[in-house]
Amino acid sequence: MKPSFPLPNRKETISPAESGQIQSYVDELVHYLGGIDWGGYGLDNVKTVEPSHPFSSVFDAINLIKVEIDELFQEHKRSEEESAKLVAKLQRAQKMEAVGTLAGGVAHDLNNVLSAQVGYPDLILMDLSDDSPLREPILRIQESGQKAAAIVQDLLTLARRGVVVADVMNLNQLVDSYIN
């Protein structure tokens, strides 16, 4: 025999028969709470009860909590996805920086090698006569060196992530504008 117990909003006690009915409501509530997929997304396991059910307000409160938890999970999932995107973007930027550093190192080394190919033809051409058969091949060597130097300059620009603008300027006008 179950003892009777007082209800919070009544002054009298309930009978064992009423206690059994309340116990079935409590069992139903406990069963529902145990069946909620708290780790999942969505509200597919929300239970609705009639407003006349003794624990309808409890079920409503549980459903509201479930909605809030679902929203928190979804917000957390969105922030994790955004974080993953930012990490991927940072990794791409770091890779590009490494490629730029490598390109800069290669360009500097090539520039050192090309300085002889571009500079020495000028020295040789000064000593050659205008009708020398070597003049044409040396000019081609110098030209190809200048083209390679332009490519190296582009690599250096890429490595610095800057844009070099080659512009012909009149030095006299530049000095005049500075003075005036």
Side-chain angles (χ1 to χ4, degrees):
M1 178 171 170
K2 292 185 179 178
S4 60
F5 54 91
L7 291 175
N9 59 354
R10 292 197 215 170
K11 301 243 185 235
E12 71 275 2
T13 59
I14 59 169
S15 69
E18 288 176 319
S19 177
Q21 188 177 12
I22 291 175
Q23 186 63 44
S24 71
Y25 289 141
V26 170
D27 291 344
E28 180 184 359
L29 181 62
V30 169
H31 177 72
Y32 172 63
L33 287 173
I36 293 178
D37 178 16
W38 293 100
Y41 298 112
L43 301 173
D44 55 347
N45 59 355
V46 170
K47 181 173 178 132
T48 55
V49 293
E50 294 294 320
S52 61
H53 191 284
F55 291 134
S56 66
S57 60
V58 174
F59 280 104
D60 291 343
I62 291 170
N63 290 337
L64 288 175
I65 291 170
K66 176 72 169 120
V67 168
E68 290 296 321
I69 289 173
D70 284 342
E71 288 175 2
L72 287 173
F73 276 129
Q74 290 169 3
E75 183 179 323
H76 180 70
K77 185 178 179 181
R78 282 190 299 271
S79 68
E80 283 181 344
E81 290 169 355
E82 181 65 25
S83 176
K85 287 178 185 177
L86 289 174
V87 166
K89 195 173 185 179
L90 174 65
Q91 288 173 342
R92 281 192 302 274
Q94 289 171 335
K95 287 177 187 176
M96 290 302 294
E97 184 178 359
V99 167
T101 302
L102 179 65
V106 169
H108 279 290
D109 290 346
L110 281 175
N111 212 16
N112 293 337
V113 171
L114 287 173
S115 64
Q117 187 178 355
V118 172
Y120 284 131
D122 278 334
L123 296 174
I124 295 171
L125 288 172
M126 285 192 307
D127 292 338
L128 282 180
S129 64
D130 289 345
D131 59 347
S132 171
L134 295 176
R135 192 170 210 45
E136 191 64 32
I138 291 174
L139 285 172
R140 273 192 247 124
I141 290 171
Q142 187 180 35
E143 237 177 76
S144 66
Q146 288 170 344
K147 287 178 183 177
I151 292 171
V152 168
Q153 188 59 44
D154 289 345
L155 273 175
L156 285 171
T157 301
L158 173 72
R160 288 189 300 263
R161 289 191 179 95
V163 177
V164 174
V165 177
D167 206 5
V168 177
M169 299 184 75
N170 184 335
L171 191 56
N172 292 330
Q173 287 177 348
L174 183 65
V175 171
D176 283 342
S177 68
Y178 180 73
I179 292 173
N180 298 329

